[in-house]
Amino acid sequence: MPDGAPVPGPAPTFLDVSRSLSGRAWRQRPAEAGVIRAHMQGQGLIEPLARALAARGVTAEQGADFLAPTLKRLFPDPSSFMDMDAAAAAIVAALTAGDRIHVFADYDVDGASSAALLVRWFRLMGSELPIYVPDRLTEGYGPSPLAFDRLKASGADLVITVDCGAAANEAIAHACAIGLKVVVIDHHMMREEPPACLAVVNPNRPGDTSGQGNLAAAGVVFVLLAALNREARRLGLFADRPEPDIRQWLDLAALGAICDVTALTGFNRALTGLGLQVMSGWTNPGLKALLAVAGVESGPAKSNHAGFILGPRINAGGRIGRADLGARLLSTDDADEARALAEELDALNIARREVEREVTETATRRVEATGHHADGSAVVVVSGEDWHPGVVGIVAGRLRERWRKPVIVIGIDALAGVGKGSGRSQPGMNLGRAIQSAWRDGLLLAGGGHAMAAGLTVRPDGIDALRDYLNAGLAGEQAGAEALDWVEVDALLDPGAATRDLFEAFERLAPFGPANPEPLFALDGVRAREAVAMNGGHVRCRLTGPDGASVKAIAWRCADLPTGQALLSGQGGLSVVGRLKADDWNGRRGVQFEIEDVADPRMAT
């Protein structure tokens, strides 16, 4: 949260909604009147937009940098990261010595983006960088002794781990024992004692003073590229070749930041916003091919492109296909290879959606039959045999949205006698820390993550004990998280005021993500007309005000929930909160209202 951000606390309800149909209270985002006026005067903003900016903790002095961030003003000194100089020196020394360098990447979008950034820098330095991505099913997350044995056998001298490795102390000790040099570039939570290797660069490392803990791994790697350029420049390596312009790869840094759901503030916001501008040119062959197979026209890139079109397809390789497909796609300069990889990833993504649907439905039935979703417990832990480890994280996220509490979904491999799980958390509840604690206390075979997401490996007979342990450990954070779970509204609108002009005015706050949430607007006293349930449990309708003005609307995955039932009933007098989205179908340049929550005054408690 930026400096000066309002601290959530007791506040009047908005539209008198103390309990919506999803069980939440509404309030207007708190903002200081003086800061609102300053943004109106200093930045020339309309009052609702100035209020939204102030409500995101942006002070009068920060307004210009927030609305028009630049790398020149916000780029951190690479040396402020612990071990960054050592990492750059080791990598450049290995490059100039002709050592065989490999990159070891996580199998998600952030890992693929991080690997591709390094591959592209090395390519301009005249060296091809082989990529190793562990198989999710057979190797699990992060480095392992087996993986390092394979890398050593393939001829590697130096391994750079990206988006993993910071907690792999034992595996990296093995690597060093067999003569491999290792540099770790990561952003995940780690132990107090780092792995013993050449360098461990992680803004979330204990003792690091960079202040860049909200970066994804791709953001850390982007800073590493600046450090590599600086080190190579110091050694005179650019006397006979141009210095790589790392700005051309900002699209990869933005992709990692958005898909890893990082807080888009400060330098990370600049990285992401400017990266989306670079992405808009669609010069990366892999991203261009992926957009084409998704049937989306090229144009200005938005966070939604990364989060909902590109990201799921890149992730599909690591989830249910070959783990290295995403990194290869983002690294290639061959248009034909990019097209083939994109088609394979798109097909895998279609298969992934079906697997995800089946696991979601089964897990939902299982939890709701036990009542664990509504018994006051701090966390839901659900498991099932043969649930694909590649989708458990997505399912956990879906169920977290449904039940508004942390959820861990575990797929059990009965033959191997292990369960592999993934969890998603609520703001205010640090799931990664709880999982690390469970690992230290012997309840897990492996585990780690960050505040909002975590992964784990557990024996099937230890799942009940894990559930009890996490419920006890997170109980103290539960009340604070529930207090944070307001629906925070930016402005009250009439349906007729939900226009494209208003949408584009608020787009100045983009890109959106944690610490900079997408603006929420409220409509009061509306009726859902022409409501229909769609495949996937979505509800489409037209929200009509008392004066007859209306706006098209959609609510996702709620047809079986009270919110969806209220919309489908066609009743009037509803209060609705949601986001404005562009509706450019057939060139119409309109807007659609994406419903977040619904309140029925007649059911107020």
Side-chain angles (χ1 to χ4, degrees):
M1 186 175 289
D3 293 340
V7 177
T13 57
F14 189 74
L15 297 179
D16 293 325
V17 177
S18 58
R19 185 173 179 81
S20 70
L21 295 180
S22 71
R24 291 178 284 171
W26 297 359
R27 73 170 180 180
Q28 187 166 38
R29 293 191 197 277
E32 295 182 11
V35 179
I36 297 172
R37 287 194 299 271
H39 287 320
M40 292 175 68
Q41 296 164 3
Q43 307 302 325
L45 305 180
I46 59 175
E47 193 276 343
L49 184 55
R51 171 180 286 278
L53 189 60
R56 282 151 181 77
V58 180
T59 66
E61 296 74 23
Q62 295 169 330
D65 279 341
F66 189 92
L67 294 173
T70 65
L71 292 183
K72 183 176 181 180
R73 283 181 57 85
L74 298 172
F75 203 101
D77 178 1
S79 299
S80 67
F81 291 73
M82 189 180 294
D83 273 7
M84 182 68 84
D85 291 341
I91 293 169
V92 173
L95 176 65
T96 56
D99 288 351
R100 290 158 296 187
I101 306 171
H102 293 234
V103 60
F104 184 110
D106 188 21
Y107 35 63
D108 68 359
V109 176
D110 193 23
S113 301
S114 300
L117 283 166
L118 279 173
V119 168
R120 291 184 173 280
W121 187 86
F122 270 83
R123 188 173 292 153
L124 290 190
M125 296 298 290
S127 178
E128 282 297 321
L129 186 66
I131 302 169
Y132 186 102
V133 182
D135 181 85
R136 183 188 291 262
L137 293 178
T138 61
E139 297 180 73
Y141 168 80
S144 64
L146 174 62
F148 282 129
D149 286 340
R150 288 172 174 169
L151 286 163
K152 180 68 174 177
S154 71
D157 297 307
L158 170 66
V159 177
I160 307 170
T161 74
V162 292
D163 196 29
C164 58
N169 296 42
E170 292 78 10
I172 289 174
H174 175 80
C176 296
I178 62 174
L180 273 178
K181 294 178 285 187
V182 179
V183 169
V184 173
I185 312 295
D186 204 351
H187 72 128
H188 292 96
M189 294 178 65
M190 55 184 287
R191 309 177 207 176
E192 193 73 30
E193 186 67 28
C197 56
L198 296 179
V200 178
V201 182
N202 182 346
N204 290 305
R205 174 179 175 177
D208 185 274
T209 59
S210 66
Q212 301 296 328
N214 60 330
L215 289 178
V220 183
V221 172
F222 193 81
V223 177
L224 172 66
L225 298 189
L228 291 174
N229 272 354
R230 186 173 66 182
E231 177 67 7
R233 192 184 315 121
R234 185 184 71 82
L235 296 177
L237 299 188
F238 300 131
D240 58 353
R241 64 160 42 94
E243 180 173 330
D245 183 355
I246 66 175
R247 294 173 298 179
Q248 65 185 302
W249 306 316
L250 276 164
D251 51 356
L252 296 175
L255 188 66
I258 293 168
C259 293
D260 229 48
V261 200
T262 58
L264 301 183
T265 58
F267 168 60
N268 199 35
R269 174 177 168 79
L271 202 66
T272 305
L274 297 171
L276 288 172
Q277 292 180 23
V278 172
M279 189 183 294
S280 297
W282 303 105
T283 56
N284 182 295
L287 294 179
K288 183 177 181 180
L290 210 53
L291 197 71
V293 300
V296 179
E297 294 183 6
S298 59
K302 304 292 184 183
S303 295
N304 282 355
H305 285 91
F308 296 101
I309 299 171
L310 305 172
R313 288 169 170 82
I314 295 169
N315 268 334
R319 293 190 185 282
I320 62 172
R322 296 207 314 276
D324 65 347
L325 291 178
R328 287 172 53 201
L329 176 82
L330 298 179
S331 302
T332 186
D333 287 321
D334 185 312
D336 291 334
E337 181 185 20
R339 183 165 51 253
L341 289 169
E343 289 172 352
E344 185 173 358
L345 285 167
D346 188 58
L348 286 170
N349 190 54
I350 293 170
R352 185 271 308 167
R353 285 201 296 262
E354 179 57 26
V355 174
E356 174 201 328
R357 183 191 63 77
E358 293 174 356
V359 175
T360 299
E361 290 178 356
T362 304
T364 301
R365 289 195 303 268
R366 189 162 296 176
V367 172
E368 292 186 344
T370 64
H372 289 323
H373 65 300
D375 62 2
S377 59
V379 59
V380 169
V381 179
V382 59
S383 61
E385 286 195 9
D386 299 324
W387 287 355
H388 198 295
V391 303
V392 291
I394 303 175
V395 175
R398 296 272 188 253
L399 300 185
R400 183 211 64 83
E401 292 173 6
R402 186 180 184 94
W403 297 320
R404 315 302 303 174
K405 63 172 64 181
V407 176
I408 294 172
V409 180
I410 301 170
I412 297 173
D413 183 338
L415 192 62
V418 297
K420 293 186 177 181
S422 188
R424 298 295 181 267
S425 193
Q426 281 286 92
M429 299 181 78
N430 194 323
L431 186 60
R433 184 169 58 202
I435 291 296
Q436 277 201 322
S437 177
W439 175 80
R440 284 195 303 268
D441 288 347
L443 280 80
L444 297 174
L445 300 174
H450 49 79
M452 296 300 291
L456 59 89
T457 304
V458 63
R459 292 185 179 87
D461 60 6
I463 292 174
D464 288 341
L466 174 66
R467 179 186 293 109
D468 293 341
Y469 181 94
L470 293 176
N471 271 306
L474 289 169
E477 301 176 24
Q478 187 174 6
E482 290 174 354
L484 288 171
D485 195 29
W486 292 78
V487 175
E488 294 197 301
V489 181
D490 287 287
L492 177 65
L493 300 179
D494 293 322
T499 64
R500 183 63 175 237
D501 286 344
L502 184 70
F503 164 78
E504 291 181 350
F506 273 83
E507 276 291 284
R508 293 190 65 185
L509 301 181
F512 302 113
N516 180 32
E518 197 168 354
L520 281 177
F521 302 96
L523 307 176
D524 192 29
V526 297
R527 179 185 297 276
R529 296 188 181 276
E530 305 165 23
V532 293
M534 305 168 61
N535 288 338
H538 316 311
V539 176
R540 185 180 295 281
C541 64
R542 181 170 288 276
L543 297 175
T544 305
D547 63 355
S550 66
V551 61
K552 289 199 310 180
I554 190 165
W556 304 111
R557 295 181 295 276
C558 70
D560 63 334
L561 298 176
T563 52
Q565 293 298 310
L567 296 170
L568 289 167
S569 73
Q571 67 189 54
L574 297 176
S575 299
V576 180
V577 166
R579 303 166 186 85
L580 288 180
K581 297 288 189 178
D583 178 13
D584 294 331
W585 183 253
N586 286 335
R588 63 167 58 101
R589 289 195 77 255
V591 292
Q592 178 172 262
F593 197 81
E594 187 178 277
I595 296 171
E596 165 72 17
D597 202 10
V598 177
D600 183 350
R602 293 166 296 184
M603 298 178 65
T605 59

